Amino acid sequence: MKNILTLLFTLVVMSSYAQIKMQGVVRDSIGEPLELANIIAINKESNALESYAITDANGKYVISLGKNGNYNIQVSYIGLKSVDAIVESKEVDIIKNFDLRSDNMLDAVELTYEMPVTVKGDTIIYNADSFKSGTERKLEDVLKKLPGVEITADGKIEVEGKEVTKLMVNGKDFFDGDSKLATQNIPSNAVDKIQVLRNYAEVGQLSGVQNNQDNVAINIKLKEGKENFWFGNITAGGGVAPSPNDNLYLVQPKLFYYSPKYSINVIGDLNNTGEVALTGRDIRNFGGGFRSPSSSSGTSIDLGDNGLRGLTNVDDSQSVESKLAAVNFSYAPNKALDLSGFLIYNANRLKTREESFVRYTNPELGIPDEKTEQIGREATNQGLAKLSASYNPNASHQLNYDVLGRISSDSEIQNEFSSVVGNTNQIDEAKPFSINQNVNYYYTLNENNIFAFEAQHLLKDEDPFYNVTGLSDEDTFDSTAGSLGLDLDQEIYNLNQERRVKSNQLDAKLDYYNILNSKSNINLTLGTILSHQEFNSNIFQFLDDGSYFDPTSSLVNADGELLRNENDVEYNFSDVYLGFHYRLKTGKFTITPGFTVHAYGNKNTQFGETYKDNFFRVLPDFETQIQFKKSESLTFRYNMQNSFTDVTSLAEGLVLNNYNSLQYGESQLQNSLSHNLNLRYFSFNLFNYTNVFAFLNYNKNIDQIRSYTNFDNVIRTNTYFNSNFADESVTASGRIQRTYGKFKASMRVGYNYSKSNQFIQDVRSINETFSQTYTPGLSTNFREAPNVSLSYRYSVSDTKQGADNDTQFITSAPSIDFDAYMWKSLTLRTDYSYTSQSSNVSDTQSYQTWNASLAYRKDQDAKWEYELKATNLLNIDSEVSNGSSNISVYSSETFILPRFITFRLTYTL
């Protein structure tokens, strides 16, 4: 790694010595400086783009030229006549100013090259070809090279530190704006322009009365010739896995059709190489573009997630088989009506293995250390379907309707050996479904009065089933089995639990906006949340002869009441609220104070008893933004939030999370209250392509719902209560990124401090964690030479558990990506990373990853491409990780996919 850094530093130094600087000022005809004027330098000998720049607020520009060369300098500005000048460089820097004049005919010099980056209002437009070197295959490869744009580890797109919430192709939503599907599947050779839409407003009628500074969308403009016929590619491949009975296969069609009236996108994936287009977690997070109408009201109600929440990441699996079929369409029968939707089927089959060791940090609690080995199989089958309609007959009316259906069938089989409990075999199954409907209507009465109605209805049915067998040979579980009322006279315990959670929720609001003048408006909101949940569960036992046994628990709660092995709970929640907000623009400031008045009511009925709680609460919020200039701002926000739990935390009967974790709820749980303060700064300087963002967030929870935990050996029982002790957290993060010609350097830092209260065996302890992460990076973007991307992540996590236990973990992870386009036909790509983890409680551990591919196509326009790809070249068996919880320190070893070498053939339409 040291040699690579030295080589890259040498390249930077050699590049800087081989160039000179040309700078000056661009003005209009009366001598006023022009901001955002475009300057490009074209090498007259090669006719290639040498350098480009955009002027700053003072009209200043700086470009880099090679020594002793001849260049055509072209200067342009919207609405003014362009200037074309010939410049001969020597070996000294050049100072040259330009004056642009008005020309009604605008017979501007025809630009030989398009500007790589241009700005029009809140839109930044990147010319994709200006950032391509020939090794790109998908949209993600291009986005990584754009100044101000970053692809996160989980495939999300960030612009100026803000997550892109919508991605469109030719103005039409791509799978409801999902960025990961787009970055991984849209072919790079189809991309002409990448438009970053800052301050993006979904509804044009509300753009002038709402604060949209956090909304960022991307629109991909296709190249000419990519419309009105199919484009895309089809990839097929195979190989031999280390096991002689396991051949590798891969088939991935990615087909697209766009026309002014309709579009169709088809993505398919069938492989066992571990290259999963969408994981089970991705599907669960695929919200379909839905946003709760009450998201800004200050109320948060958790309906819970009772599916299989512990599904493994495919990167942590020994074997992966995946299937994906996805179709997205849009159709505009006329100018007023737009129809769109998608269908997605996703299936994954995983084999997993993990070994872990847990050491509890409080010896006085009497909890033994535990070593476990888990071998599992997971199967997920998931389907999503969405239909959307938007009717916009004129500028005053807009009606939107969406319906999203989701269904899945998931199962997990796990064999676990515990050094404390012994062998267990566990089965988790769930077949949940949900239907989510959304209707929005926006009406502009006149230039001063706007109405907006938004409503969302969710219907959800979840039915997780859990079964565990084993345990009877170990005295460790006998006391728990006796407490549950199980029949102890069995060779093995066969413990089961059925659960059923039905949720029905309506979330609606009506907004009225009164525009007082060009600088201010008021917003009145009337809204409601109505939620109904039913929860049933039952713990039972199958005896050795196969008969059904219904046990009776002997566990009691804190009040000495007997805990049941079943639940039958009905929970109703209501919130009716009235909100007021005032928005004022004055100079550089936009100030939005406001508050909402809530009338809450909740009621739960179980075992013939009913608990009610009705109360009022005022929740204030405040936001102010300082817009220093178009691309630099500072925003401060404060809001108070009321949070309510779901029905499972209210259920007084016992619930099995798994065999070694039981819980029971509290019917009289109240809401928790939190104070949230956020400070965010961003700046994108197109003059020197410096992108800076930073944010600071503080959160304090009052009356937070926490748990009492009691251990019987390693088997824990949790119950819930409203804690009088506040938990606090502070998070700070920032990144600076700057482009120097063909080099892009960045530095990202993150800090997090949290203080939480833990209650174990009726003993309260305060746990504090402080973590810090530093990630410098350096990458190149040469058109002819190979490109290198270097990154180094260094993180330190310090945890203080109680009064006497301090744990520190240090992670060091350098990485390098290399790609080269050679002889205009070969593409070589490789990436390597090394991760080392050390701590004050265990030995240092490390692992490496190395992947590579070599592809051949005759030229850029060739239809066929041949690729040899290798993953995990070092054939590493496993990855290691260390960490700590509130009461323990743990280390784990996760076994991963072996070395795979495949040959692939891609046909481009």
Side-chain angles (χ1 to χ4, degrees):
M1 194 72 185
K2 181 179 179 181
N3 293 334
I4 295 173
L5 288 169
T6 303
L7 173 62
L8 191 58
F9 177 75
T10 303
L11 288 173
V12 174
V13 173
M14 291 175 61
S15 176
S16 63
Y17 275 118
Q19 293 184 322
I20 64 168
K21 188 162 49 175
M22 176 177 169
Q23 59 185 319
V25 177
V26 179
R27 302 183 180 91
D28 62 14
S29 58
I30 61 173
E32 291 295 321
L34 293 173
E35 184 181 7
L36 303 179
N38 298 325
I39 301 94
I40 57 177
I42 301 162
N43 189 311
K44 294 196 68 175
E45 181 178 351
S46 63
N47 201 34
L49 179 65
E50 179 75 17
S51 183
Y52 67 94
I54 295 176
T55 57
D56 66 6
N58 299 313
K60 184 179 178 181
Y61 75 91
V62 178
I63 57 176
S64 297
L65 302 178
K67 295 180 179 179
N68 302 312
N70 291 310
Y71 298 94
N72 182 13
I73 308 299
Q74 297 180 346
V75 185
S76 62
Y77 187 85
I78 296 174
L80 300 179
K81 184 177 180 179
S82 299
V83 170
D84 191 16
I86 303 299
V87 171
E88 182 179 355
S89 66
K90 301 296 184 180
E91 296 189 0
V92 294
D93 292 342
I94 300 172
I95 297 177
K96 187 172 180 61
N97 301 325
F98 294 94
D99 294 322
L100 303 186
R101 302 185 180 278
S102 300
D103 191 336
N104 294 331
M105 300 299 294
L106 288 181
D107 54 342
V109 175
E110 182 181 352
L111 297 182
T112 309
Y113 279 86
E114 289 190 76
M115 274 293 295
V117 185
T118 56
V119 179
K120 295 180 180 179
D122 285 329
T123 302
I124 303 174
I125 304 170
Y126 297 93
N127 181 40
D129 285 344
S130 300
F131 298 90
K132 295 178 184 177
S133 64
T135 62
E136 300 81 13
R137 294 297 181 269
K138 52 191 177 183
L139 176 62
E140 179 184 53
D141 300 329
V142 182
L143 291 173
K144 287 179 177 178
K145 298 182 178 182
L146 305 183
V149 179
E150 185 176 15
I151 305 294
T152 64
D154 56 357
K156 305 273 186 196
I157 307 173
E158 283 188 358
V159 175
E160 299 166 352
K162 305 169 187 175
E163 182 179 326
V164 172
T165 55
K166 180 182 285 291
L167 191 142
M168 301 169 284
V169 177
N170 278 8
K172 302 179 185 295
D173 285 0
F174 185 85
F175 283 94
D176 231 32
D178 182 74
S179 61
K180 185 175 181 180
L181 266 179
T183 58
Q184 296 294 319
N185 293 286
I186 294 177
S188 61
N189 60 6
V191 179
D192 181 27
K193 301 289 190 300
I194 299 170
Q195 299 175 330
V196 175
L197 312 174
R198 298 180 294 182
N199 300 317
Y200 179 73
E202 286 270 11
V203 182
Q205 292 161 273
L206 303 181
S207 60
V209 294
Q210 290 183 333
N211 296 331
N212 300 303
Q213 62 267 19
D214 283 344
N215 298 339
V216 180
I218 284 181
N219 181 45
I220 305 299
K221 295 288 290 183
L222 299 175
K223 288 187 173 181
E224 291 185 14
K226 296 299 182 183
E227 294 185 343
N228 297 314
F229 74 94
W230 287 93
F231 68 94
N233 55 60
I234 301 173
T235 300
V240 178
S243 171
N245 299 320
D246 193 6
N247 293 325
L248 301 174
Y249 58 85
L250 177 140
V251 179
Q252 294 176 331
K254 302 172 183 179
L255 307 174
F256 311 92
Y257 184 94
Y258 278 86
S259 73
K261 203 166 188 177
Y262 65 91
S263 68
I264 302 175
N265 304 302
V266 180
I267 299 174
D269 188 10
L270 178 67
N271 76 78
N272 64 348
T273 62
E275 301 174 36
V276 178
L278 285 177
T279 67
R281 293 181 181 181
D282 291 332
I283 290 289
R284 281 167 176 74
N285 294 329
F286 204 98
F290 283 79
R291 185 178 64 179
S292 171
S294 63
S295 58
S296 60
S297 71
T299 297
S300 172
I301 178 170
D302 181 13
L303 295 184
D305 181 2
N306 297 282
L308 300 192
R309 289 169 289 179
L311 292 175
T312 305
N313 191 318
V314 295
D315 294 334
D316 299 329
S317 305
Q318 285 187 298
S319 172
V320 180
E321 296 178 18
S322 66
K323 299 176 184 177
L324 172 71
V327 179
N328 176 220
F329 76 92
S330 66
Y331 174 55
N334 54 59
K335 292 183 178 180
L337 180 62
D338 277 302
L339 303 174
S340 63
F342 61 77
L343 293 169
I344 298 177
Y345 169 73
N346 187 66
N348 294 323
R349 302 290 183 270
L350 309 179
K351 294 180 181 178
T352 63
R353 180 186 170 197
E354 182 182 69
E355 296 180 1
S356 61
F357 178 77
V358 179
R359 179 176 66 83
Y360 291 91
T361 54
N362 297 75
E364 67 274 9
L365 298 179
I367 309 170
D369 296 341
E370 183 181 23
K371 181 179 181 180
T372 61
E373 180 178 355
Q374 300 174 340
I375 299 174
R377 290 176 178 266
E378 296 179 8
T380 64
N381 296 278
Q382 300 162 314
L384 286 84
K386 183 181 179 185
L387 178 64
S388 300
S390 178
Y391 180 62
N392 193 1
N394 51 54
S396 298
H397 298 267
Q398 181 173 333
L399 176 64
N400 299 333
Y401 174 76
D402 308 277
V403 57
L404 173 70
R406 184 193 305 265
I407 189 170
S408 64
S409 176
D410 304 328
S411 65
E412 180 181 15
I413 301 173
Q414 190 173 88
N415 175 265
E416 177 178 305
F417 173 78
S418 164
S419 60
V420 178
V421 179
N423 279 304
T424 60
N425 293 296
Q426 302 176 69
I427 300 174
D428 282 282
E429 295 177 341
K431 296 181 179 180
F433 74 86
S434 66
I435 298 175
N436 202 341
Q437 298 181 81
N438 193 71
V439 60
N440 303 324
Y441 177 62
Y442 307 97
Y443 172 56
T444 301
L445 178 64
N446 51 47
E447 62 181 11
N448 294 326
N449 298 278
I450 302 173
F451 295 87
F453 174 74
E454 300 177 356
Q456 184 176 146
H457 179 255
L458 173 63
L459 186 67
K460 186 165 64 168
D461 194 335
E462 301 163 301
D463 62 343
F465 173 80
Y466 175 70
N467 167 258
V468 58
T469 58
L471 305 168
S472 66
D473 293 332
E474 298 291 335
D475 294 335
T476 303
F477 191 74
D478 282 345
S479 60
T480 301
S483 300
L484 290 173
L486 303 184
D487 187 332
L488 306 182
D489 190 21
Q490 304 294 313
E491 289 188 15
I492 63 170
Y493 293 119
N494 189 330
L495 184 59
N496 305 268
Q497 178 179 247
E498 294 176 319
R499 282 188 288 165
R500 188 74 176 267
V501 183
K502 295 181 180 181
S503 303
N504 191 338
Q505 180 172 290
L506 174 65
D507 188 346
K509 70 171 182 174
L510 175 65
D511 279 297
Y512 167 65
Y513 297 92
N514 179 244
I515 301 174
L516 303 175
N517 50 54
S518 61
K519 299 292 185 179
S520 63
N521 65 268
I522 61 172
N523 169 216
L524 297 175
T525 305
L526 176 63
T528 185
I529 304 174
L530 302 174
S531 177
H532 174 79
Q533 285 190 294
E534 298 176 5
F535 174 49
N536 295 277
S537 71
N538 183 35
I539 298 173
F540 60 94
Q541 180 184 12
F542 282 121
L543 304 182
D544 291 344
D545 60 6
S547 60
Y548 175 95
F549 177 69
D550 191 1
T552 300
S553 167
S554 62
L555 288 171
V556 296
N557 61 21
D559 297 327
E561 299 170 336
L562 191 67
L563 295 172
R564 303 170 185 250
N565 280 336
E566 71 275 356
N567 281 290
D568 185 3
V569 189
E570 186 174 317
Y571 173 46
N572 291 285
F573 169 85
S574 68
D575 173 22
V576 179
Y577 59 91
L578 180 65
F580 173 84
H581 290 84
Y582 175 69
R583 185 170 180 261
L584 172 67
K585 285 187 175 182
T586 173
K588 297 180 179 180
F589 291 84
T590 301
I591 304 170
T592 312
F595 63 89
T596 52
V597 181
H598 295 259
Y600 292 109
N602 56 70
K603 178 179 72 172
N604 70 83
T605 302
Q606 48 188 316
F607 307 129
E609 296 186 3
T610 298
Y611 173 76
K612 295 182 180 180
D613 185 23
N614 301 300
F615 63 98
F616 290 89
R617 176 151 286 163
V618 178
L619 300 178
D621 60 89
F622 176 79
E623 177 179 316
T624 184
Q625 182 186 36
I626 308 174
Q627 193 76 42
F628 299 107
K629 47 190 176 183
K630 289 182 179 179
S631 56
E632 184 182 16
S633 69
L634 179 67
T635 304
F636 170 76
R637 291 190 185 93
Y638 165 78
N639 74 289
M640 186 183 293
Q641 181 168 288
N642 239 5
S643 298
F644 297 82
T645 188
D646 73 316
V647 66
T648 59
S649 298
L650 301 171
E652 295 182 337
L654 287 167
V655 175
L656 285 176
N657 294 318
N658 53 51
Y659 76 89
N660 63 0
S661 178
L662 308 171
Q663 77 172 51
Y664 62 92
E666 169 55 58
S667 62
Q668 299 186 38
L669 282 179
Q670 299 176 1
N671 62 288
S672 64
L673 190 66
S674 63
H675 298 276
N676 305 283
L677 294 90
N678 179 271
L679 187 66
R680 178 185 289 270
Y681 170 82
F682 95 89
S683 171
F684 186 25
N685 189 332
L686 285 167
F687 170 66
N688 55 20
Y689 292 96
T690 300
N691 173 239
V692 180
F693 84 84
F695 76 85
L696 176 67
N697 188 77
Y698 171 75
N699 173 268
K700 183 175 183 179
N701 283 303
I702 303 170
D703 289 333
Q704 184 176 5
I705 296 176
R706 300 208 58 87
S707 65
Y708 281 119
T709 304
N710 288 300
F711 278 86
D712 183 359
N713 280 308
V714 295
I715 299 171
R716 68 182 68 189
T717 303
N718 296 316
T719 189
Y720 301 100
F721 72 104
N722 286 99
S723 172
N724 293 323
F725 301 99
D727 291 349
E728 298 177 89
S729 67
V730 180
T731 302
S733 179
R735 186 192 69 195
I736 180 170
Q737 181 189 87
R738 182 165 180 177
T739 300
Y740 302 86
K742 300 299 183 182
F743 297 87
K744 184 168 70 173
S746 66
M747 179 66 169
R748 188 162 193 160
V749 297
Y751 302 94
N752 178 264
Y753 168 79
S754 63
K755 183 182 74 172
S756 61
N757 295 270
Q758 184 72 32
F759 299 84
I760 307 293
Q761 313 288 64
D762 296 325
V763 176
R764 171 180 169 251
S765 62
I766 297 177
N767 299 288
E768 296 178 278
T769 297
F770 176 65
S771 61
Q772 47 190 317
T773 302
Y774 307 90
T775 311
L778 181 63
S779 61
T780 66
N781 187 23
F782 298 114
R783 293 183 67 89
E784 304 295 336
N787 285 296
V788 179
S789 178
L790 296 171
S791 179
Y792 180 74
R793 179 172 58 88
Y794 179 80
S795 64
V796 180
S797 177
D798 292 284
T799 302
K800 184 176 182 180
Q801 301 152 310
D804 304 318
N805 294 286
D806 293 309
T807 306
Q808 183 181 79
F809 292 99
I810 299 176
T811 301
S812 176
S815 63
I816 178 172
D817 285 44
F818 174 88
D819 65 76
Y821 185 52
M822 303 173 292
W823 306 298
K824 297 184 178 180
S825 57
L826 282 178
T827 299
L828 172 65
R829 307 182 73 170
T830 185
D831 61 86
Y832 171 82
S833 66
Y834 175 83
T835 303
S836 173
Q837 297 178 330
S838 60
S839 74
N840 62 344
V841 293
S842 61
D843 297 333
T844 299
Q845 297 175 300
S846 64
Y847 62 90
Q848 308 171 71
T849 59
W850 183 24
N851 307 302
S853 67
L854 181 65
Y856 168 80
R857 60 182 178 185
K858 188 176 181 180
D859 53 52
Q860 291 281 11
D861 299 322
K863 294 291 186 181
W864 294 95
E865 182 175 55
Y866 311 89
E867 182 181 21
L868 189 65
K869 185 171 184 177
T871 57
N872 192 8
L873 271 167
L874 301 176
N875 204 27
I876 302 300
D877 292 332
S878 60
E879 297 178 348
V880 295
S881 63
N882 302 290
S884 60
S885 67
N886 289 336
I887 59 172
S888 66
V889 176
Y890 61 86
S891 62
S892 64
E893 181 178 12
T894 303
F895 293 82
I896 61 174
L897 292 167
R899 180 195 299 123
F900 283 167
I901 300 177
T902 55
F903 175 76
R904 302 160 186 228
L905 182 63
T906 299
Y907 177 75
T908 301
L909 275 67

